[in-house]
Amino acid sequence: MLRNLVNGAVGGALATAAMSTVMVAGERAGLMGDQPPKRIVRAILPGHRHRSKPGEGVLGAVAHFGFGVGSGALFGALARGRRARVPLGIAYGLAIWVASYAGWVPKLGTMPPLHRDRPGRQAVMAAGHVVYGVALAKALNRLDHRTHHSTDHSIGAA
C-alpha cells in the first residue's frame, strides 16, 4: 500500500509538471489571464481576495504541485499496483478539473464556474487535466513496473 501511495505521489509530481507546461503555454498564448493556482492562493491569503499579494505566484506553484502530488497518491492507492489504463487516467484528470472548477474553486469566490469563465482558460485547463491524466497513468505504470515487474494486471480496461 505504501509503495502504491509513493509511486502515485511521484507520478502526480511528474504529471503536474507536464500539466504546468500546458498552462504556461496557454498563458503565453494569452488564453489564461491569471493562473488559477495563483488566484486560489490569493483568495486564501490574508487581505483582499482580488488584490495581488507578495509570494502568491510561488505559493500558487507549491499548492498546485501539492494538490497534484496528493491526487496522484490517491490514484496510486486506487490502482493498488495494477496497470493503469490511459483512458482511466484521462477520466481521473477530467474529474479533478470538473470537481474543482465547477465545485470548490468558484465557492472560494476567486474564479467563476466553468460555464461563466473565459473560454480560453477553460480550454487550456481541460487540456492540462487530460495531459495530467495521461502522464499520471504512464508514470504510475512505469514506476510500478520498476518496483515489482508486474504488468499482468490492469485497471480501467477499455
Side-chain angles (χ1 to χ4, degrees), residues 56-122:
E56 68 184 19
V58 171
L59 289 173
V62 169
H64 188 237
F65 269 88
F67 190 82
V69 166
S71 296
L74 177 60
F75 189 77
L78 295 172
R80 296 188 307 242
R82 295 176 295 193
R83 189 168 184 275
R85 300 281 186 182
V86 170
L88 181 64
I90 292 170
Y92 185 73
L94 289 173
I96 292 169
W97 172 61
V98 171
S100 297
Y101 293 95
W104 66 269
V105 171
K107 287 182 180 167
L108 288 176
T110 60
M111 299 185 68
L114 289 173
H115 66 279
R116 289 201 336 247
D117 198 5
R118 61 189 322 173
R121 179 171 32 234
Q122 290 312 318

CSV table of all heavy atoms in Angstrom, one decimal, residues 56-122:
chain,number,residue,atom,x,y,z
A,56,GLU,N,2.5,35.2,-3.9
A,56,GLU,CA,1.3,34.4,-4.4
A,56,GLU,C,1.7,33.5,-5.6
A,56,GLU,O,1.1,32.4,-5.7
A,56,GLU,CB,0.1,35.2,-4.7
A,56,GLU,CG,0.3,36.1,-5.9
A,56,GLU,CD,-0.9,37.0,-6.2
A,56,GLU,OE1,-1.7,37.3,-5.2
A,56,GLU,OE2,-1.0,37.5,-7.3
A,57,GLY,N,2.6,33.9,-6.4
A,57,GLY,CA,3.0,33.1,-7.6
A,57,GLY,C,3.7,31.8,-7.1
A,57,GLY,O,3.4,30.7,-7.5
A,58,VAL,N,4.7,32.0,-6.2
A,58,VAL,CA,5.4,30.8,-5.7
A,58,VAL,C,4.5,29.9,-4.9
A,58,VAL,O,4.5,28.7,-5.0
A,58,VAL,CB,6.6,31.3,-4.8
A,58,VAL,CG1,7.3,30.2,-4.1
A,58,VAL,CG2,7.6,32.1,-5.7
A,59,LEU,N,3.7,30.5,-4.0
A,59,LEU,CA,2.8,29.7,-3.2
A,59,LEU,C,1.8,29.0,-4.1
A,59,LEU,O,1.4,27.9,-3.8
A,59,LEU,CB,2.1,30.6,-2.1
A,59,LEU,CG,3.0,31.1,-1.0
A,59,LEU,CD1,2.2,32.1,-0.1
A,59,LEU,CD2,3.5,29.9,-0.2
A,60,GLY,N,1.3,29.7,-5.1
A,60,GLY,CA,0.4,29.0,-6.1
A,60,GLY,C,1.0,27.8,-6.7
A,60,GLY,O,0.4,26.7,-6.8
A,61,ALA,N,2.3,27.9,-7.1
A,61,ALA,CA,3.0,26.8,-7.7
A,61,ALA,C,3.2,25.6,-6.7
A,61,ALA,O,3.0,24.5,-7.0
A,61,ALA,CB,4.4,27.2,-8.3
A,62,VAL,N,3.5,26.0,-5.5
A,62,VAL,CA,3.7,25.0,-4.4
A,62,VAL,C,2.4,24.3,-4.2
A,62,VAL,O,2.3,23.1,-4.1
A,62,VAL,CB,4.3,25.6,-3.1
A,62,VAL,CG1,4.2,24.6,-2.0
A,62,VAL,CG2,5.7,26.0,-3.4
A,63,ALA,N,1.3,25.1,-4.1
A,63,ALA,CA,0.0,24.5,-3.8
A,63,ALA,C,-0.5,23.6,-5.0
A,63,ALA,O,-1.0,22.5,-4.8
A,63,ALA,CB,-1.1,25.6,-3.6
A,64,HIS,N,-0.2,24.0,-6.2
A,64,HIS,CA,-0.6,23.3,-7.4
A,64,HIS,C,0.2,21.9,-7.4
A,64,HIS,O,-0.5,20.9,-7.6
A,64,HIS,CB,-0.2,24.1,-8.7
A,64,HIS,CG,-0.7,23.4,-9.9
A,64,HIS,ND1,0.1,23.1,-11.0
A,64,HIS,CD2,-1.9,23.1,-10.3
A,64,HIS,CE1,-0.6,22.6,-11.9
A,64,HIS,NE2,-1.8,22.5,-11.6
A,65,PHE,N,1.5,21.9,-7.1
A,65,PHE,CA,2.2,20.7,-7.0
A,65,PHE,C,1.7,19.8,-5.9
A,65,PHE,O,1.6,18.6,-6.0
A,65,PHE,CB,3.7,20.9,-7.0
A,65,PHE,CG,4.3,21.0,-8.4
A,65,PHE,CD1,4.4,22.2,-9.1
A,65,PHE,CD2,4.8,19.8,-9.0
A,65,PHE,CE1,4.9,22.2,-10.4
A,65,PHE,CE2,5.3,19.9,-10.3
A,65,PHE,CZ,5.4,21.1,-11.0
A,66,GLY,N,1.4,20.4,-4.7
A,66,GLY,CA,0.9,19.7,-3.6
A,66,GLY,C,-0.4,19.0,-3.9
A,66,GLY,O,-0.6,17.8,-3.6
A,67,PHE,N,-1.3,19.7,-4.6
A,67,PHE,CA,-2.5,19.1,-5.0
A,67,PHE,C,-2.3,18.0,-6.0
A,67,PHE,O,-2.9,16.9,-5.9
A,67,PHE,CB,-3.5,20.2,-5.5
A,67,PHE,CG,-4.9,19.7,-5.8
A,67,PHE,CD1,-5.8,19.7,-4.7
A,67,PHE,CD2,-5.3,19.3,-7.0
A,67,PHE,CE1,-7.1,19.3,-4.9
A,67,PHE,CE2,-6.6,18.9,-7.2
A,67,PHE,CZ,-7.5,18.9,-6.1
A,68,GLY,N,-1.4,18.2,-7.0
A,68,GLY,CA,-1.1,17.2,-8.0
A,68,GLY,C,-0.5,15.9,-7.4
A,68,GLY,O,-0.8,14.8,-7.8
A,69,VAL,N,0.4,16.1,-6.4
A,69,VAL,CA,1.0,15.0,-5.7
A,69,VAL,C,0.0,14.2,-4.9
A,69,VAL,O,0.0,13.0,-5.0
A,69,VAL,CB,2.2,15.5,-4.9
A,69,VAL,CG1,2.7,14.4,-3.9
A,69,VAL,CG2,3.4,16.0,-5.7
A,70,GLY,N,-0.8,14.9,-4.2
A,70,GLY,CA,-1.9,14.3,-3.4
A,70,GLY,C,-2.9,13.5,-4.3
A,70,GLY,O,-3.2,12.4,-4.0
A,71,SER,N,-3.3,14.1,-5.4
A,71,SER,CA,-4.2,13.5,-6.3
A,71,SER,C,-3.5,12.2,-6.9
A,71,SER,O,-4.2,11.2,-7.1
A,71,SER,CB,-4.6,14.4,-7.4
A,71,SER,OG,-5.4,15.5,-6.8
A,72,GLY,N,-2.2,12.3,-7.2
A,72,GLY,CA,-1.5,11.2,-7.8
A,72,GLY,C,-1.4,10.1,-6.8
A,72,GLY,O,-1.6,8.9,-7.1
A,73,ALA,N,-1.2,10.4,-5.5
A,73,ALA,CA,-1.1,9.4,-4.4
A,73,ALA,C,-2.4,8.7,-4.3
A,73,ALA,O,-2.4,7.4,-4.2
A,73,ALA,CB,-0.7,10.0,-3.1
A,74,LEU,N,-3.5,9.4,-4.4
A,74,LEU,CA,-4.8,8.8,-4.3
A,74,LEU,C,-5.0,7.8,-5.5
A,74,LEU,O,-5.5,6.7,-5.3
A,74,LEU,CB,-5.9,9.8,-4.3
A,74,LEU,CG,-7.4,9.3,-4.3
A,74,LEU,CD1,-7.6,8.4,-3.1
A,74,LEU,CD2,-8.4,10.4,-4.4
A,75,PHE,N,-4.6,8.3,-6.7
A,75,PHE,CA,-4.8,7.4,-7.9
A,75,PHE,C,-3.9,6.1,-7.7
A,75,PHE,O,-4.3,5.0,-8.0
A,75,PHE,CB,-4.3,8.2,-9.1
A,75,PHE,CG,-4.6,7.5,-10.4
A,75,PHE,CD1,-5.9,7.5,-11.0
A,75,PHE,CD2,-3.6,6.9,-11.2
A,75,PHE,CE1,-6.1,6.8,-12.2
A,75,PHE,CE2,-3.8,6.3,-12.4
A,75,PHE,CZ,-5.1,6.2,-12.9
A,76,GLY,N,-2.7,6.3,-7.2
A,76,GLY,CA,-1.8,5.2,-7.0
A,76,GLY,C,-2.4,4.2,-6.0
A,76,GLY,O,-2.4,3.0,-6.1
A,77,ALA,N,-3.0,4.7,-4.9
A,77,ALA,CA,-3.7,3.9,-3.9
A,77,ALA,C,-4.9,3.1,-4.5
A,77,ALA,O,-5.0,1.9,-4.3
A,77,ALA,CB,-4.1,4.7,-2.7
A,78,LEU,N,-5.6,3.8,-5.4
A,78,LEU,CA,-6.8,3.2,-6.0
A,78,LEU,C,-6.3,2.1,-7.0
A,78,LEU,O,-7.0,1.1,-7.2
A,78,LEU,CB,-7.7,4.2,-6.7
A,78,LEU,CG,-8.4,5.2,-5.8
A,78,LEU,CD1,-9.0,6.3,-6.6
A,78,LEU,CD2,-9.4,4.5,-4.9
A,79,ALA,N,-5.2,2.3,-7.7
A,79,ALA,CA,-4.7,1.4,-8.6
A,79,ALA,C,-4.2,0.1,-8.0
A,79,ALA,O,-4.2,-1.0,-8.6
A,79,ALA,CB,-3.6,2.0,-9.5
A,80,ARG,N,-3.7,0.2,-6.7
A,80,ARG,CA,-3.2,-0.9,-5.9
A,80,ARG,C,-2.2,-1.8,-6.7
A,80,ARG,O,-2.2,-3.0,-6.7
A,80,ARG,CB,-4.4,-1.8,-5.5
A,80,ARG,CG,-5.3,-1.1,-4.5
A,80,ARG,CD,-6.3,-2.0,-4.0
A,80,ARG,NE,-7.0,-2.7,-5.0
A,80,ARG,CZ,-8.3,-2.7,-5.2
A,80,ARG,NH1,-9.1,-1.9,-4.4
A,80,ARG,NH2,-8.9,-3.3,-6.2
A,81,GLY,N,-1.3,-1.1,-7.4
A,81,GLY,CA,-0.2,-1.8,-8.1
A,81,GLY,C,-0.6,-2.4,-9.4
A,81,GLY,O,0.2,-3.1,-10.1
A,82,ARG,N,-1.8,-2.3,-9.8
A,82,ARG,CA,-2.3,-2.8,-11.1
A,82,ARG,C,-2.0,-1.8,-12.2
A,82,ARG,O,-1.9,-0.6,-12.0
A,82,ARG,CB,-3.7,-3.2,-11.1
A,82,ARG,CG,-4.0,-4.3,-10.1
A,82,ARG,CD,-5.5,-4.6,-10.1
A,82,ARG,NE,-6.1,-3.4,-9.5
A,82,ARG,CZ,-7.4,-3.3,-9.1
A,82,ARG,NH1,-8.1,-4.4,-9.1
A,82,ARG,NH2,-7.8,-2.2,-8.5
A,83,ARG,N,-1.9,-2.3,-13.4
A,83,ARG,CA,-1.6,-1.4,-14.6
A,83,ARG,C,-2.8,-0.4,-14.8
A,83,ARG,O,-3.9,-0.8,-14.8
A,83,ARG,CB,-1.4,-2.2,-15.8
A,83,ARG,CG,-0.9,-1.4,-17.0
A,83,ARG,CD,-0.5,-2.4,-18.1
A,83,ARG,NE,0.1,-1.6,-19.2
A,83,ARG,CZ,-0.7,-1.1,-20.2
A,83,ARG,NH1,-2.0,-1.2,-20.2
A,83,ARG,NH2,-0.1,-0.4,-21.2
A,84,ALA,N,-2.5,0.8,-14.9
A,84,ALA,CA,-3.5,1.9,-15.1
A,84,ALA,C,-3.6,2.2,-16.6
A,84,ALA,O,-2.6,2.5,-17.2
A,84,ALA,CB,-3.1,3.1,-14.3
A,85,ARG,N,-4.8,2.1,-17.1
A,85,ARG,CA,-5.1,2.4,-18.5
A,85,ARG,C,-5.1,3.9,-18.7
A,85,ARG,O,-5.6,4.6,-17.8
A,85,ARG,CB,-6.4,1.8,-18.9
A,85,ARG,CG,-6.5,0.3,-18.8
A,85,ARG,CD,-5.7,-0.3,-20.0
A,85,ARG,NE,-5.9,-1.8,-19.9
A,85,ARG,CZ,-5.3,-2.6,-20.7
A,85,ARG,NH1,-4.6,-2.1,-21.7
A,85,ARG,NH2,-5.5,-3.9,-20.6
A,86,VAL,N,-4.6,4.4,-19.8
A,86,VAL,CA,-4.6,5.8,-20.1
A,86,VAL,C,-6.0,6.4,-20.1
A,86,VAL,O,-6.2,7.5,-19.5
A,86,VAL,CB,-3.8,6.1,-21.4
A,86,VAL,CG1,-3.9,7.5,-21.8
A,86,VAL,CG2,-2.3,5.7,-21.2
A,87,PRO,N,-7.0,5.8,-20.7
A,87,PRO,CA,-8.3,6.4,-20.6
A,87,PRO,C,-8.8,6.6,-19.2
A,87,PRO,O,-9.5,7.6,-18.9
A,87,PRO,CB,-9.2,5.4,-21.4
A,87,PRO,CG,-8.3,4.6,-22.3
A,87,PRO,CD,-7.0,4.6,-21.5
A,88,LEU,N,-8.5,5.7,-18.3
A,88,LEU,CA,-8.8,5.9,-16.9
A,88,LEU,C,-8.1,7.1,-16.3
A,88,LEU,O,-8.7,7.9,-15.6
A,88,LEU,CB,-8.5,4.7,-16.1
A,88,LEU,CG,-8.9,4.8,-14.6
A,88,LEU,CD1,-10.4,4.9,-14.4
A,88,LEU,CD2,-8.4,3.5,-13.8
A,89,GLY,N,-6.8,7.3,-16.7
A,89,GLY,CA,-6.1,8.4,-16.2
A,89,GLY,C,-6.7,9.7,-16.7
A,89,GLY,O,-6.8,10.7,-16.0
A,90,ILE,N,-7.1,9.7,-18.0
A,90,ILE,CA,-7.7,10.9,-18.6
A,90,ILE,C,-9.0,11.2,-17.9
A,90,ILE,O,-9.3,12.4,-17.5
A,90,ILE,CB,-8.0,10.7,-20.1
A,90,ILE,CG1,-6.6,10.7,-20.8
A,90,ILE,CG2,-8.9,11.8,-20.7
A,90,ILE,CD1,-6.8,10.2,-22.3
A,91,ALA,N,-9.8,10.2,-17.6
A,91,ALA,CA,-11.1,10.4,-16.9
A,91,ALA,C,-10.8,10.9,-15.5
A,91,ALA,O,-11.6,11.8,-15.0
A,91,ALA,CB,-11.9,9.1,-16.8
A,92,TYR,N,-9.8,10.4,-14.8
A,92,TYR,CA,-9.4,10.9,-13.5
A,92,TYR,C,-9.0,12.4,-13.6
A,92,TYR,O,-9.5,13.2,-12.7
A,92,TYR,CB,-8.3,10.1,-13.0
A,92,TYR,CG,-7.9,10.3,-11.5
A,92,TYR,CD1,-8.7,10.0,-10.5
A,92,TYR,CD2,-6.7,11.0,-11.2
A,92,TYR,CE1,-8.4,10.2,-9.2
A,92,TYR,CE2,-6.3,11.2,-9.9
A,92,TYR,CZ,-7.2,10.8,-8.9
A,92,TYR,OH,-6.8,11.1,-7.6
A,93,GLY,N,-8.2,12.8,-14.5
A,93,GLY,CA,-7.8,14.2,-14.7
A,93,GLY,C,-8.9,15.1,-14.9
A,93,GLY,O,-9.1,16.2,-14.3
A,94,LEU,N,-9.8,14.7,-15.8
A,94,LEU,CA,-11.0,15.5,-16.1
A,94,LEU,C,-12.0,15.6,-14.9
A,94,LEU,O,-12.6,16.6,-14.7
A,94,LEU,CB,-11.7,15.0,-17.4
A,94,LEU,CG,-11.0,15.2,-18.7
A,94,LEU,CD1,-11.7,14.5,-19.9
A,94,LEU,CD2,-10.8,16.7,-19.0
A,95,ALA,N,-12.1,14.5,-14.2
A,95,ALA,CA,-12.9,14.5,-13.0
A,95,ALA,C,-12.4,15.5,-12.0
A,95,ALA,O,-13.2,16.3,-11.3
A,95,ALA,CB,-13.0,13.1,-12.4
A,96,ILE,N,-11.1,15.6,-11.8
A,96,ILE,CA,-10.5,16.6,-10.9
A,96,ILE,C,-10.8,18.0,-11.4
A,96,ILE,O,-11.2,18.9,-10.6
A,96,ILE,CB,-9.0,16.4,-10.8
A,96,ILE,CG1,-8.6,15.1,-10.1
A,96,ILE,CG2,-8.3,17.6,-10.1
A,96,ILE,CD1,-7.2,14.7,-10.2
A,97,TRP,N,-10.7,18.2,-12.7
A,97,TRP,CA,-11.0,19.5,-13.3
A,97,TRP,C,-12.4,19.9,-13.0
A,97,TRP,O,-12.7,21.0,-12.5
A,97,TRP,CB,-10.7,19.5,-14.8
A,97,TRP,CG,-11.1,20.7,-15.5
A,97,TRP,CD1,-10.7,22.0,-15.3
A,97,TRP,CD2,-12.0,20.8,-16.6
A,97,TRP,NE1,-11.3,22.8,-16.2
A,97,TRP,CE2,-12.1,22.1,-17.0
A,97,TRP,CE3,-12.8,19.8,-17.3
A,97,TRP,CZ2,-12.9,22.5,-18.1
A,97,TRP,CZ3,-13.6,20.2,-18.3
A,97,TRP,CH2,-13.7,21.5,-18.7
A,98,VAL,N,-13.4,19.0,-13.3
A,98,VAL,CA,-14.8,19.4,-13.1
A,98,VAL,C,-15.1,19.6,-11.7
A,98,VAL,O,-15.8,20.5,-11.3
A,98,VAL,CB,-15.7,18.3,-13.8
A,98,VAL,CG1,-17.2,18.5,-13.4
A,98,VAL,CG2,-15.5,18.3,-15.3
A,99,ALA,N,-14.6,18.7,-10.8
A,99,ALA,CA,-14.9,18.8,-9.4
A,99,ALA,C,-14.4,20.1,-8.8
A,99,ALA,O,-15.0,20.7,-8.0
A,99,ALA,CB,-14.4,17.6,-8.6
A,100,SER,N,-13.2,20.5,-9.3
A,100,SER,CA,-12.6,21.7,-8.8
A,100,SER,C,-13.2,23.0,-9.4
A,100,SER,O,-13.7,23.8,-8.6
A,100,SER,CB,-11.1,21.7,-9.2
A,100,SER,OG,-10.4,20.6,-8.5
A,101,TYR,N,-13.3,23.0,-10.7
A,101,TYR,CA,-13.7,24.3,-11.3
A,101,TYR,C,-15.3,24.4,-11.5
A,101,TYR,O,-15.7,25.5,-11.9
A,101,TYR,CB,-13.0,24.5,-12.7
A,101,TYR,CG,-11.5,24.7,-12.4
A,101,TYR,CD1,-10.6,23.7,-12.4
A,101,TYR,CD2,-11.1,26.0,-12.0
A,101,TYR,CE1,-9.3,23.9,-12.1
A,101,TYR,CE2,-9.7,26.2,-11.7
A,101,TYR,CZ,-8.9,25.1,-11.7
A,101,TYR,OH,-7.5,25.3,-11.4
A,102,ALA,N,-16.0,23.4,-11.2
A,102,ALA,CA,-17.5,23.5,-11.1
A,102,ALA,C,-17.9,23.4,-9.7
A,102,ALA,O,-19.1,23.5,-9.4
A,102,ALA,CB,-18.1,22.4,-12.0
A,103,GLY,N,-17.0,23.2,-8.8
A,103,GLY,CA,-17.3,22.9,-7.4
A,103,GLY,C,-16.6,23.9,-6.4
A,103,GLY,O,-17.0,25.1,-6.3
A,104,TRP,N,-15.5,23.4,-5.8
A,104,TRP,CA,-14.9,24.2,-4.7
A,104,TRP,C,-14.2,25.5,-5.1
A,104,TRP,O,-14.2,26.4,-4.3
A,104,TRP,CB,-14.0,23.3,-3.8
A,104,TRP,CG,-12.8,22.8,-4.5
A,104,TRP,CD1,-12.6,21.6,-5.2
A,104,TRP,CD2,-11.5,23.4,-4.5
A,104,TRP,NE1,-11.4,21.5,-5.7
A,104,TRP,CE2,-10.6,22.6,-5.3
A,104,TRP,CE3,-11.0,24.6,-4.0
A,104,TRP,CZ2,-9.3,22.9,-5.5
A,104,TRP,CZ3,-9.7,24.9,-4.2
A,104,TRP,CH2,-8.8,24.1,-4.9
A,105,VAL,N,-13.7,25.5,-6.3
A,105,VAL,CA,-12.9,26.8,-6.7
A,105,VAL,C,-13.9,28.0,-6.8
A,105,VAL,O,-13.6,29.0,-6.2
A,105,VAL,CB,-12.1,26.5,-8.0
A,105,VAL,CG1,-11.6,27.8,-8.5
A,105,VAL,CG2,-11.0,25.5,-7.7
A,106,PRO,N,-15.0,27.9,-7.5
A,106,PRO,CA,-16.0,29.0,-7.5
A,106,PRO,C,-16.5,29.4,-6.1
A,106,PRO,O,-16.8,30.5,-5.8
A,106,PRO,CB,-17.1,28.5,-8.4
A,106,PRO,CG,-16.5,27.5,-9.2
A,106,PRO,CD,-15.5,26.8,-8.4
A,107,LYS,N,-16.6,28.4,-5.2
A,107,LYS,CA,-17.1,28.7,-3.9
A,107,LYS,C,-16.1,29.5,-3.1
A,107,LYS,O,-16.5,30.2,-2.2
A,107,LYS,CB,-17.4,27.4,-3.1
A,107,LYS,CG,-18.6,26.7,-3.7
A,107,LYS,CD,-19.0,25.5,-2.9
A,107,LYS,CE,-20.3,24.9,-3.6
A,107,LYS,NZ,-20.6,23.6,-3.2
A,108,LEU,N,-14.8,29.5,-3.5
A,108,LEU,CA,-13.9,30.4,-2.8
A,108,LEU,C,-14.1,31.9,-3.3
A,108,LEU,O,-13.6,32.8,-2.6
A,108,LEU,CB,-12.4,30.0,-3.2
A,108,LEU,CG,-11.9,28.7,-2.6
A,108,LEU,CD1,-10.5,28.4,-3.1
A,108,LEU,CD2,-11.8,28.9,-1.0
A,109,GLY,N,-14.8,32.0,-4.4
A,109,GLY,CA,-15.0,33.4,-4.9
A,109,GLY,C,-13.9,34.0,-5.7
A,109,GLY,O,-13.9,35.2,-6.0
A,110,THR,N,-13.0,33.1,-6.1
A,110,THR,CA,-11.8,33.6,-6.9
A,110,THR,C,-12.0,33.5,-8.4
A,110,THR,O,-11.4,34.3,-9.1
A,110,THR,CB,-10.6,32.8,-6.5
A,110,THR,OG1,-10.8,31.4,-6.8
A,110,THR,CG2,-10.2,32.9,-5.1
A,111,MET,N,-12.8,32.5,-8.8
A,111,MET,CA,-13.0,32.3,-10.2
A,111,MET,C,-14.5,31.9,-10.5
A,111,MET,O,-15.1,31.3,-9.6
A,111,MET,CB,-12.1,31.2,-10.7
A,111,MET,CG,-10.6,31.5,-10.5
A,111,MET,SD,-9.6,30.2,-11.2
A,111,MET,CE,-10.0,30.4,-13.0
A,112,PRO,N,-15.0,32.3,-11.6
A,112,PRO,CA,-16.3,31.9,-11.9
A,112,PRO,C,-16.4,30.4,-12.2
A,112,PRO,O,-15.4,29.8,-12.5
A,112,PRO,CB,-16.7,32.7,-13.2
A,112,PRO,CG,-15.3,33.0,-13.8
A,112,PRO,CD,-14.3,33.1,-12.7
A,113,PRO,N,-17.6,29.8,-12.1
A,113,PRO,CA,-17.8,28.4,-12.5
A,113,PRO,C,-17.4,28.2,-14.0
A,113,PRO,O,-17.4,29.2,-14.8
A,113,PRO,CB,-19.2,28.1,-12.2
A,113,PRO,CG,-19.9,29.4,-12.1
A,113,PRO,CD,-18.9,30.4,-11.7
A,114,LEU,N,-17.2,27.0,-14.3
A,114,LEU,CA,-16.8,26.6,-15.7
A,114,LEU,C,-17.6,27.3,-16.8
A,114,LEU,O,-17.1,27.9,-17.7
A,114,LEU,CB,-17.0,25.1,-15.9
A,114,LEU,CG,-16.0,24.2,-15.2
A,114,LEU,CD1,-16.4,22.8,-15.4
A,114,LEU,CD2,-14.6,24.4,-15.7
A,115,HIS,N,-18.9,27.3,-16.7
A,115,HIS,CA,-19.8,27.8,-17.7
A,115,HIS,C,-19.7,29.4,-17.8
A,115,HIS,O,-20.2,29.9,-18.8
A,115,HIS,CB,-21.2,27.3,-17.5
A,115,HIS,CG,-21.9,27.9,-16.3
A,115,HIS,ND1,-21.7,27.3,-15.1
A,115,HIS,CD2,-22.7,28.9,-16.1
A,115,HIS,CE1,-22.4,28.0,-14.2
A,115,HIS,NE2,-23.0,28.9,-14.8
A,116,ARG,N,-19.1,30.0,-16.8
A,116,ARG,CA,-19.1,31.5,-16.9
A,116,ARG,C,-17.6,32.0,-17.0
A,116,ARG,O,-17.4,33.2,-17.1
A,116,ARG,CB,-19.7,32.1,-15.7
A,116,ARG,CG,-21.2,32.0,-15.7
A,116,ARG,CD,-22.0,33.0,-14.8
A,116,ARG,NE,-21.2,33.5,-13.7
A,116,ARG,CZ,-21.4,33.3,-12.4
A,116,ARG,NH1,-22.4,32.5,-12.1
A,116,ARG,NH2,-20.7,33.8,-11.5
A,117,ASP,N,-16.6,31.1,-17.0
A,117,ASP,CA,-15.3,31.6,-17.1
A,117,ASP,C,-14.9,31.8,-18.6
A,117,ASP,O,-15.6,31.4,-19.5
A,117,ASP,CB,-14.3,30.5,-16.5
A,117,ASP,CG,-13.0,31.0,-16.2
A,117,ASP,OD1,-12.7,32.2,-16.3
A,117,ASP,OD2,-12.1,30.2,-15.8
A,118,ARG,N,-13.8,32.5,-18.8
A,118,ARG,CA,-13.3,32.8,-20.1
A,118,ARG,C,-13.1,31.4,-20.8
A,118,ARG,O,-12.4,30.5,-20.3
A,118,ARG,CB,-12.1,33.7,-20.1
A,118,ARG,CG,-10.9,33.1,-19.4
A,118,ARG,CD,-9.7,34.0,-19.2
A,118,ARG,NE,-9.5,34.9,-20.2
A,118,ARG,CZ,-8.6,35.9,-20.2
A,118,ARG,NH1,-7.9,36.0,-19.1
A,118,ARG,NH2,-8.4,36.7,-21.2
A,119,PRO,N,-13.5,31.3,-22.1
A,119,PRO,CA,-13.4,30.0,-22.8
A,119,PRO,C,-12.0,29.6,-23.0
A,119,PRO,O,-11.7,28.4,-22.9
A,119,PRO,CB,-14.1,30.3,-24.1
A,119,PRO,CG,-15.0,31.5,-23.9
A,119,PRO,CD,-14.3,32.3,-22.8
A,120,GLY,N,-11.1,30.5,-23.3
A,120,GLY,CA,-9.7,30.1,-23.5
A,120,GLY,C,-9.1,29.5,-22.3
A,120,GLY,O,-8.4,28.4,-22.4
A,121,ARG,N,-9.3,30.0,-21.1
A,121,ARG,CA,-8.8,29.4,-19.9
A,121,ARG,C,-9.3,28.0,-19.6
A,121,ARG,O,-8.6,27.1,-19.3
A,121,ARG,CB,-9.0,30.3,-18.7
A,121,ARG,CG,-8.4,29.7,-17.4
A,121,ARG,CD,-8.4,30.5,-16.1
A,121,ARG,NE,-9.5,31.4,-16.0
A,121,ARG,CZ,-9.3,32.7,-15.7
A,121,ARG,NH1,-8.1,33.2,-15.6
A,121,ARG,NH2,-10.4,33.5,-15.6
A,122,GLN,N,-10.6,27.9,-19.8
A,122,GLN,CA,-11.2,26.5,-19.6
A,122,GLN,C,-10.7,25.5,-20.6
A,122,GLN,O,-10.5,24.3,-20.2
A,122,GLN,CB,-12.7,26.6,-19.4
A,122,GLN,CG,-13.1,27.3,-18.2
A,122,GLN,CD,-12.4,26.8,-16.9
A,122,GLN,OE1,-12.2,25.6,-16.7
A,122,GLN,NE2,-12.0,27.8,-16.1
